[in-house]
Each structure stands twice: as C-alpha cells, then as structure tokens.
Amino acid sequence: MAKEECKLHIAMFPWLAFGHMIPSLNLAKLIAQRGHRISFISTPRNIDRFPKLPPHLSSLITFVKLPLPLTEHLPEDAQATIGMPPNKVPRLKNAHDRLQDSITHFLQSSRPDWIIQDFAAYWLPDIARNLGVRSAFFSIYLAATVTFSGPTLTVDSRKKPEDFTVSPNWVPFPTKVAFHHFEVLRIFDSLSGADGAKPATQSFLEVLRGVDVVAIKSCYEFEPEWFQLLEDMHKKPIFPVGVIAPKLEDNANQDDDKWRPIKEWLDKQAERSVVYIAFGTEAKIRNDELTEIAYGLELSGLPFFWVLRIDDDSELPEGFEERVKGRGIVCTTWAPQMKILAHDSIGGFLTHSGWGSVVEALLFERPLVLLTIDTDQGLNARLFEEKKIGFPIPRDHQDGSFTRQSVADALRLVVVMEEGKVYRDKAKEMSRLIGDRDMQEKYIDKFLAHLTAHRPPMDAKDQDGN
C-alpha cells in the first residue's frame, strides 16, 4: 500500500462546550501534523470563534458547519454552554441531539474512516456502525472519572445522591475518588435526567458501550490503576493520548496589550509569592462563596491575581479592592492564563480542579489549592488530593460551606509553609511528566497506529453504493 493510502480521514464531533471543543481541536492538530485529514464538526458560531489554524495545517483540517435546529426557549445564537444559565443547558443538549440527521448525511456523503466523538452524542455509535464508519470516544475527563461513570457489562444500581459519595463497588482498590454530598446535589438533575435531558451517566455508558475505541486525555504514568481498570471493565481498547498540554509559544505574540500591564505588576512581586485564582470560563460561584474567598485572600496576606467573572448576582465585599490595592488585582475580563502561570512570581493556583487548567498549572510547577464548583471537579479533586498535587480547602461535605479562615490557611500552607512543601515538590515532579513532549508524541502515534490498522475495509464503506 502506498504511503498516501495509509492516511486516514477522521471526523471529529465534540460536545458544544469550549472546554470540550478546544481540547478536541488540539487533538485534531496533533493528528493532522502526521498528514491525516480531519473534518471537524460543530455549529457555525462555534467554528467562527475558534482560534485560527496554523498555515501548515489549514489544508488538512476542514471545519464542517452544521446549524443547530431551532429549539423553543433557546436563543438562536446559543450554540455553546459558555455564558449560558445552567437551566438552559438541557435545552442545548436536546437541540444537539437533533443534529442526528445532519451528522448522518455528512457521514454518508464524506465517508470518513473514523469518527471521534464526545460523551453527549449517545446516538452516534449506532449511526456510524450502520454506515461502516468506525467510532472512538475522546474523553477530556480523566480515566478515574470515566471509570466512576459506570460499568457497561454489569448493572449500575446507584440511584440516590448518597450512592455517588462512596467509591463504586467495581473499583477493587482503596481510593478517595467519589463526590462529596454537596457536589452530587449540584449536578444530580443532570446525572438523573431530572433536568429534562438524557441523563449524563446514561450518555456515558451508551457511548462507552457503542464505540470501538476509547481515547483519554491523560497518561498512563499519572493514573495507571484507572487505565487498567477501564480495560478490564469495558473489554475494548483504551488509549491514553497524553495530556495534550498547550505550548506557551502558540500565543506568544497575541494579546500583548493585555499582557503588558499584568506582566509589569507580576515583575514587581517576589518569586513564587503570588496566588493566581481562576475558576474557568463557565463555573458559577455563589455570592456567599465569593465573599469568603475575598476575605480569605485578604486574611492570607499574600499577593494575588484573581480572574473573576462577575455577573448581576456577584458582588465583592464593600471596600475589598481598596483594602488590597497594590497587593492584589481583580481582573474581571479575559486574562492570558498560560502567560500568568508561566511567570516566576506565581507560587500557587487556587482552582476549581478542571483538568485543562490543572495541566497548564503543573506544566509550570504550580502547586494547587482546590475548590470544586461543578461537574466532574469533585472526582478530579479527590484524585489530585490522593496524589498530593493539590490541597483542598476544608469545607462541610454536606452543604459545601467553607470559611475565610480556611481559605487563608490553605493558601498559606501551599504557597509558603513548610507543611506545604510536599505539594510544591509534587508539582515540580508532575511538571516533568506533563511537559514530556516525546511521551506525548508516542501516545498519539500509538493511537493512530491502532486507528490505521483497524480502519474499515473499503467494501464496508461502500456498502450502500457510495
């Protein structure tokens, strides 16, 4: 077979959240660098908001715009979860499910070898199989999280919130990986389907059951026991594809006007003294939590840079910004997170425990202080705590409450105190793993070797005459 004939055509269809689309796009770039063709599927508005492709990849990655069907009580421009109230997300999921006909038509006309999909398109593996297209699930979630979502070969009897606060009975080793009660309550409508959309756990299981291969944005070296358990549970190939860490140089010359004043302030701070605080683009902090975080930062005495998304319900304590003037900055617009985390003055990162943000922090040896807010973050935080790369702010496991003093104490422990040295040392160790580009390349090569070896035969793709 000629070398060019070995190249794959891969379609990719991530869930309509930028925390899913951007990692999928980064994976697409790694695949396209090896000469494979990518058809990247999303809605028009999402695609228009993606970063520009590097010139050398623009001929290999084609964006496929599928308009989202009009849905009652869902604004026409609402094509992603960003900026969307939580009660509207189920409507977006239901609109997303109505893309089935468009996806089917695309697969029939373009005949990719594989489609790499997300957890939400529970209906896609059957469509792909019927058309002779192989399917893979790309999980932006850790292997531990995918394991927690449930088994595909045995029954998952979890029904009540309390059932999700303990390690599942299919996990044979001791672990802290489970939700706290308040974390389950915040997402239980999504887990159970009470929000009017397909239950998230069922979507996960139907996708895991239906696809040919599972690819996970993680590495075996970080969570070997979970990868092994996943293979045992699902009896199909499970591939780590690496942490897909971004490169600082990718946006080195972007947003200089925004970065310059931030850098000037950071340059004045002592090395490893500043706390960076950010909770992602979509996490919603309650105002009582916001108040305790603000007072905790004040009590800690540490310099800080806080990227805070303010809305109509958010309000900082009266006089807070005046009292911390010079020592702390509250940034209410977008900030260049990678550049900030890379700066020598950053000594710790107060985070919601999102895996993407954590990868960026560990790349630059930044120890973590953990404060979960939503989705899979509780499971992530337990794993990070277990592996000593993050210290959780103590809080009530039933209602999630915490105090300003606990915020201050946790920040000081991780950034400056001797007891926190274990977290600082572990962050340095993890930086070597996260930043290992050779390992990343090998993971992608191994995954693609499998996809190439198991591409559908031509007669399967041509079975209906195309």
Side-chain angles (χ1 to χ4, degrees), residues 3-74:
K3 189 173 182 183
E4 195 55 38
E5 292 176 320
C6 294
K7 299 304 182 187
L8 298 166
H9 176 201
I10 298 172
M12 297 185 74
F13 180 50
W15 164 234
L16 305 176
F18 276 86
H20 290 246
M21 291 183 281
I22 296 303
S24 292
L25 184 56
N26 290 337
L27 176 61
K29 292 174 185 176
L30 289 171
I31 294 173
Q33 283 171 8
R34 287 143 171 88
H36 302 287
R37 285 194 302 125
I38 302 288
S39 294
F40 198 94
I41 307 166
S42 194
T43 66
R45 187 160 189 252
N46 290 336
I47 287 172
D48 289 344
R49 296 167 77 179
F50 289 160
K52 193 173 180 181
L53 289 172
H56 69 289
L57 298 180
S58 57
S59 64
L60 290 164
I61 299 177
T62 302
F63 290 116
V64 179
K65 295 182 176 182
L66 297 185
L68 204 61
L70 289 175
T71 302
E72 191 176 3
H73 305 303
L74 188 68

Side-chain angles (χ1 to χ4, degrees), residues 117-119 121-122 125 137 203-211:
Q117 66 163 91
D118 214 324
F119 81 99
Y122 60 90
F137 167 36
S203 285
F204 257 102
L205 295 186
E206 290 184 31
V207 169
L208 285 165
R209 194 176 283 123
V211 295

Side-chain angles (χ1 to χ4, degrees), residues 122-133:
Y122 60 90
W123 36 266
L124 187 47
D126 284 345
I127 292 173
R129 186 180 302 105
N130 290 337
L131 295 172
V133 177

